[in-house]
Amino acid sequence: MVLGSCSSLESDVKLVDGLPETPFDMKSTLKLMADTINFRNHFYLLDEAIENMKQKLIQRELKPNLLMRIKYNLLPMALLFAGHTNEAITMQEELKADQLDQETLELPEWQKLQTELNSLLAISYLRLGEEENCLKHHGAASCIFPLQSSAYHQKTGGSVNAVEAYLEILKQNPNDYQSIWLLNLAYMTLGRYPEDVPEEYFLNVHKFDAEEAFPRFLDVSMETGVNAMGLVGGACVDDFNNDGKMDVITSFFRLNNNIKYYIGSGKGAFLDRTIDAGLKGITGGININQADYNNDGHLDLFIMRGGWLASGGTQPNSLLRNNGDGTFTDVTEGAGLLNYYPTLSASWGDFNNDGWIDLFVGNESTTVGDSFHSQLYQNNGDGTFEDVSKLVMVQVKMDVKGSSWGDYNNDGWLDLFISCYGGSNLLFKNNGVNSLEQLTFEEVADEAGVSLPEFSFPTFFFDYNNDGYLDLYVSAYPDVRESFNFLEVGSEYAGTKRARCRPYLYRNNKDGTFTDVAVQMNLNRNIYAMGLNFGDIDNDGYLDIYSGTGGPDLRSLLPNLMFRNNEGKSFSDVTSAGGFGHLQKSHGIAFADMDNDGDQDIYMSVGGFFSTDVYPNVLFQNPGNSHNWISLDLVGTKSNRSAIGAKLKLTFDDGGEEREIHRVVSTGGSFGSSSLQVEIGLRNATVLKALEIYWPASGITQTFSDIEINGIYKIVEDHSAIISWEKEIIYLGVKEKKIYDASEH
């Protein structure tokens, strides 16, 4: 039985499949939808469009200006984006040499077509270089900006021709900063940066580098076996089989691409258990995250589908129940979560403090005719959910790109922030349960001062300054209605443009309002975040920010950016030093201690929307540091079993200075899902003086003292014991295995 509201699109799907009313089966539904997708509603499916355009050119029944646009721009672009790179280049070179069509159009229109053709040819050659080197001869340093010598292209034809093409473009328009940026990248792939870059086009790619040294993280995805190749998708890391080792689940947005499930083997690699887990046929998924929705001690998975496709993304989401025996079962319909809406973001949180985790599902509603309302689902505690959006006054019909739960005013009730693309963001303050046992929310974004930016993307609550009040990070993104040029990146390095697409870092004022401090915190940068999450990469106890960047256009070759938190006073760009600057399109980002050695590693989904834009996923291994740490697995009994929303306060002596660290259990950012194990750096602490845990449903605070550091502990709500775990390191030759004796404190 479907408890949530369903649109008429559900009946449309039934008309398409032509099947009688039968018990819903997610796998067969996904296959049917994949087989019947119409390219006119899915801009990334280009092969049929290519044949259509070729026929138009043969028939020549269209107006001359439209025929010329197809011939000089739309068709070669479609060939390139569909993965027919050599055919696209051949066609463009022939068109460039052939001037016969010039008499067909007026001079301005002809010049415009030639300019577009030159730009397309340049990126076609640059893409050819990527295919022949970064993909066919992929290495750990491939596409990590700024490129090291091991990442230089061995087959140089693509980049050599790209350099020539960009130099030609810049003769006509020397202020084309998009082309200047890509020219510098092309020289870099050839190992000729900076010496061969013409002075007038030179960009200092180290302009924003932090002054301090930082250890380099290396991509170990190939040797560990989690380098799944695909397009845009989600990333989730956690211990799904309860064996003490982190596992990986990753998804890809197209309905003909299966999700991947890897379990930690304990022998230096991960094992693909997708088929064994019953997940063959579970396809698609632009984003994924986890929670124990039925409180049985096994983490379940939620898959979001259709995001970024607007009315073309009317696809069902999935709730996968973890059966506890290594398998998963799709229970979407029975749980009351079946809808056919385009979804990019969903967030788990127990908003009514009844001990059962609830779910907000953010949908994209981008046109007047869209009826894609978002849903707030209340967990009924019996395996089902009910849409209570209207009842509790959380009614959203916006283009939702991100969402995050957090108790920003410390009143014990989770509030909900929603980032919206092309409109004001929303902050729903939870008013709690009144005397009539009714719970409602109140929208207060303007009052709290968090309605900007207008074009928002992934977001999260976190306490960046460790003052016990949640702050808010909201990424920005270009207005795609203007262009996908991303020209601000080149002009930013040249120092000629301000950051039009900067994030907002809202510091909590502790009075229900926030102040944007991004500029003074050194985050005044064009970032274009698609993937986003936070973690502590150096175990200093302050949370750092990692943004995965890019856009559908192949020219959006932008480095991911890592910002190190300097004791809550500023952020430093450690992208170059740490090896985080991946140039390919990056989406789901997850922080987790993958090898149980006490520091956080990073798993990331990589790949774009179009067929040509595939790339292997990345696992950045933390090289370690001298700082101390503690990791905590929290188990709720009265509160939700995943302990999502539980608050932690740690007190310790850090080299003679008493410090506090505040954390909240969550999966982090809204595009990418980190482990629910709380992994905390303690810098120079020798012992944890005090640990306080506030459990949201019971309202109790547990306090422990004098805890040994550098250990992994399990803590159960309302139990007096802290149990120390033994966990194996799962990378080859990283560090010696650490064993912690089971003990009670």
Side-chain angles (χ1 to χ4, degrees):
M1 180 174 66
V2 179
L3 298 177
S5 61
C6 291
S7 75
S8 61
L9 292 163
E10 183 179 354
S11 61
D12 291 344
V13 172
K14 291 176 182 176
L15 288 174
V16 169
D17 65 30
L19 296 174
E21 291 285 346
T22 58
F24 178 82
D25 178 74
M26 181 62 73
K27 294 180 181 179
S28 60
T29 298
L30 294 174
K31 185 178 187 308
L32 183 65
M33 296 184 76
D35 292 343
T36 56
I37 280 177
N38 187 326
F39 82 94
R40 290 178 177 83
N41 293 326
H42 294 80
F43 63 89
Y44 57 88
L45 297 176
L46 293 170
D47 285 334
E48 190 174 346
I50 288 170
E51 293 306 313
N52 194 323
M53 285 188 282
K54 286 181 177 179
Q55 287 301 314
K56 297 292 185 185
L57 291 177
I58 293 172
Q59 296 164 1
R60 303 190 66 83
E61 295 175 353
L62 301 175
K63 293 181 179 180
N65 60 338
L66 183 53
L67 283 172
M68 292 302 98
R69 177 150 298 280
I70 291 174
K71 183 176 180 180
Y72 282 84
N73 183 260
L74 297 179
L75 178 55
M77 181 183 293
L79 287 168
L80 173 64
F81 283 25
H84 310 303
T85 307
N86 284 305
E87 184 181 355
I89 290 174
T90 299
M91 181 180 183
Q92 292 169 71
E93 289 286 13
E94 291 174 351
L95 290 169
K96 189 176 179 181
D98 185 1
Q99 300 293 312
L100 294 178
D101 291 319
Q102 184 172 357
E103 298 178 0
T104 306
L105 299 175
E106 294 182 3
L107 184 60
E109 182 66 21
W110 173 255
Q111 290 175 333
K112 181 180 179 181
L113 282 177
Q114 291 298 301
T115 299
E116 292 173 348
L117 180 65
N118 290 337
S119 177
L120 183 61
L121 181 59
I123 193 60
S124 297
Y125 275 123
L126 197 56
R127 181 62 198 178
L128 179 64
E130 295 174 45
E131 292 173 358
E132 292 181 337
N133 295 274
C134 308
L135 291 177
K136 290 184 179 178
H137 303 284
H138 182 68
S142 295
C143 289
I144 304 297
F145 173 88
L147 300 185
Q148 297 183 321
S149 58
S150 59
Y152 294 162
H153 289 187
Q154 299 304 303
K155 297 193 70 173
T156 60
S159 289
V160 166
N161 283 303
V163 165
E164 293 179 0
Y166 283 120
L167 289 174
E168 183 178 340
I169 291 170
L170 291 168
K171 285 180 183 178
Q172 304 299 319
N173 183 6
N175 293 320
D176 178 357
Y177 283 101
Q178 174 184 273
S179 294
I180 292 174
W181 168 255
L182 294 171
L183 174 68
N184 279 260
L185 288 185
Y187 273 116
M188 196 177 292
T189 65
L190 296 168
R192 294 166 52 191
Y193 175 93
E195 59 271 13
D196 288 351
V197 182
E199 183 177 357
E200 63 269 31
Y201 304 134
F202 171 73
L203 297 178
N204 179 10
V205 300
H206 296 288
K207 178 177 180 178
F208 300 104
D209 290 359
E211 294 182 1
E212 66 266 25
F214 197 83
R216 192 173 184 87
F217 284 52
L218 297 178
D219 176 16
V220 296
S221 60
M222 290 184 289
E223 51 263 54
T224 56
V226 289
N227 57 328
M229 177 83 77
L231 299 170
V232 51
C236 177
V237 176
D238 219 314
D239 183 5
F240 285 93
N241 57 1
N242 289 343
D243 66 352
K245 297 182 284 289
M246 290 295 168
D247 310 308
V248 173
I249 299 180
T250 187
S251 65
F252 314 95
F253 88 106
R254 292 197 182 180
L255 293 180
N256 58 352
N257 293 138
N258 215 96
I259 68 169
K260 289 285 190 179
Y261 173 46
Y262 302 98
I263 66 167
S265 70
K267 298 179 180 179
F270 292 83
L271 303 175
D272 188 339
R273 289 291 182 263
T274 306
I275 295 177
D276 294 345
L279 295 175
K280 184 177 181 180
I282 299 297
T283 59
I286 194 167
N287 198 358
I288 52 178
N289 57 24
Q290 80 280 19
D292 184 357
Y293 83 94
N294 54 3
N295 286 346
D296 66 351
H298 305 287
L299 286 173
D300 312 294
L301 188 74
F302 189 72
I303 303 176
M304 291 145 265
R305 297 188 179 94
W308 256 120
L309 300 178
S311 58
T314 51
Q315 303 170 5
N317 299 322
S318 281
L319 176 63
L320 300 181
R321 184 187 65 212
N322 186 335
N323 299 318
D325 59 0
T327 67
F328 293 81
T329 299
D330 188 291
V331 295
T332 310
E333 185 189 39
L337 298 177
L338 181 61
N339 274 304
Y340 292 84
Y341 297 151
T343 305
L344 184 62
S345 179
S347 301
W348 296 93
D350 182 6
F351 72 81
N352 56 2
N353 284 339
D354 66 352
W356 296 91
I357 199 76
D358 309 302
L359 178 65
F360 171 77
V361 178
N363 300 315
E364 296 176 335
S365 190
T366 58
T367 66
V368 176
D370 287 349
S371 58
F372 309 142
H373 294 271
S374 296
Q375 294 95 25
L376 178 56
Y377 288 107
Q378 178 178 294
N379 192 325
N380 295 322
D382 60 0
T384 68
F385 293 80
E386 180 180 1
D387 184 352
V388 296
S389 307
K390 188 174 183 179
L391 180 66
V392 301
M393 301 176 65
V394 179
Q395 295 177 276
V396 179
K397 188 182 178 184
M398 298 285 287
D399 189 358
V400 175
K401 297 300 187 189
S403 56
S404 183
W405 291 98
D407 180 10
Y408 77 92
N409 53 4
N410 282 346
D411 65 353
W413 299 94
L414 282 180
D415 312 295
L416 177 64
F417 180 79
I418 302 171
S419 69
C420 302
Y421 189 77
S424 295
N425 299 319
L426 304 171
L427 176 60
F428 287 98
K429 183 177 72 173
N430 190 335
N431 294 320
V433 177
N434 60 25
S435 58
L436 300 176
E437 297 188 354
Q438 297 172 327
L439 183 148
T440 59
F441 288 82
E442 177 185 0
E443 205 288 298
V444 296
D446 286 337
E447 175 187 327
V450 295
S451 59
L452 294 175
E454 180 182 358
F455 292 91
S456 298
F457 235 60
T459 183
F460 51 69
F461 279 109
F462 75 147
D463 186 356
Y464 81 87
N465 53 5
N466 278 326
D467 66 353
Y469 281 79
L470 286 175
D471 310 297
L472 180 63
Y473 184 90
V474 191
S475 63
Y477 203 72
D479 181 356
V480 298
R481 297 171 300 185
E482 293 181 357
S483 83
F484 260 119
N485 285 338
F486 297 90
L487 57 87
E488 289 88 353
V489 171
S491 58
E492 187 175 54
Y493 278 91
T496 63
K497 290 280 186 177
R498 65 181 178 87
R500 294 198 310 160
C501 196
R502 71 167 177 86
Y504 281 62
L505 176 62
Y506 288 111
R507 184 188 63 213
N508 195 320
N509 297 325
K510 306 180 184 180
D511 61 0
T513 69
F514 294 80
T515 298
D516 175 29
V517 295
V519 175
Q520 53 263 49
M521 293 292 288
N522 198 34
L523 293 172
N524 190 27
R525 297 280 300 280
N526 292 300
I527 297 180
Y528 311 115
M530 296 187 299
L532 182 69
N533 221 318
F534 62 85
D536 183 3
I537 55 175
D538 55 0
N539 279 352
D540 68 347
Y542 290 94
L543 294 171
D544 313 299
I545 301 170
Y546 190 39
S547 294
T549 63
D553 195 310
L554 295 185
R555 292 169 293 184
S556 60
L557 290 170
L558 316 168
N560 294 346
L561 296 174
M562 177 68 82
F563 294 100
R564 179 184 178 272
N565 188 337
N566 301 313
E567 300 184 345
K569 301 171 184 175
S570 68
F571 285 85
S572 297
D573 186 339
V574 296
T575 302
S576 296
F580 301 108
H582 211 296
L583 285 166
Q584 298 297 330
K585 318 299 166 46
S586 301
H587 294 88
I589 292 174
F591 285 76
D593 184 1
M594 304 288 288
D595 45 8
N596 292 325
D597 64 350
D599 49 45
Q600 289 190 310
D601 313 288
I602 302 170
Y603 187 73
M604 181 169 65
S605 166
V606 184
F609 264 88
F610 295 103
S611 298
T612 191
D613 218 357
V614 296
Y615 206 83
N617 288 356
V618 168
L619 175 55
F620 285 123
Q621 178 188 332
N622 193 320
N625 51 72
S626 61
H627 293 161
N628 295 313
W629 54 276
I630 191 169
S631 294
L632 304 170
D633 279 317
L634 302 188
V635 179
T637 53
K638 297 181 177 64
S639 301
N640 69 90
R641 183 70 177 256
S642 304
I644 292 173
K647 301 177 184 179
L648 297 87
K649 176 182 174 182
L650 297 83
T651 306
F652 57 96
D653 183 280
D654 183 8
E657 174 191 359
E658 182 159 296
R659 278 184 60 191
E660 290 182 1
I661 289 178
H662 296 266
R663 291 287 187 272
V664 177
V665 180
S666 77
T667 58
S670 55
F671 209 146
S673 198
S674 299
S675 167
L676 289 168
Q677 176 175 280
V678 189
E679 297 152 355
I680 306 170
L682 300 175
R683 201 153 63 185
N684 299 313
T686 56
V687 66
L688 187 59
K689 288 185 177 180
L691 168 65
E692 298 176 30
I693 303 174
Y694 172 79
W695 297 90
S698 64
I700 67 169
T701 298
Q702 289 175 272
T703 303
F704 305 93
S705 59
D706 299 327
I707 305 169
E708 293 182 11
I709 59 172
N710 298 340
I712 304 174
Y713 299 94
K714 174 180 282 188
I715 301 176
V716 180
E717 181 178 8
D718 206 22
H719 285 212
S720 60
I722 298 180
I723 304 173
S724 180
W725 279 28
E726 173 187 337
K727 294 190 177 184
E728 293 178 288
I729 291 174
I730 60 175
Y731 292 150
L732 290 171
V734 177
K735 291 184 178 180
E736 293 181 0
K737 178 178 175 182
K738 293 180 179 290
I739 299 177
Y740 308 103
D741 296 329
S743 58
E744 294 185 358
H745 298 264

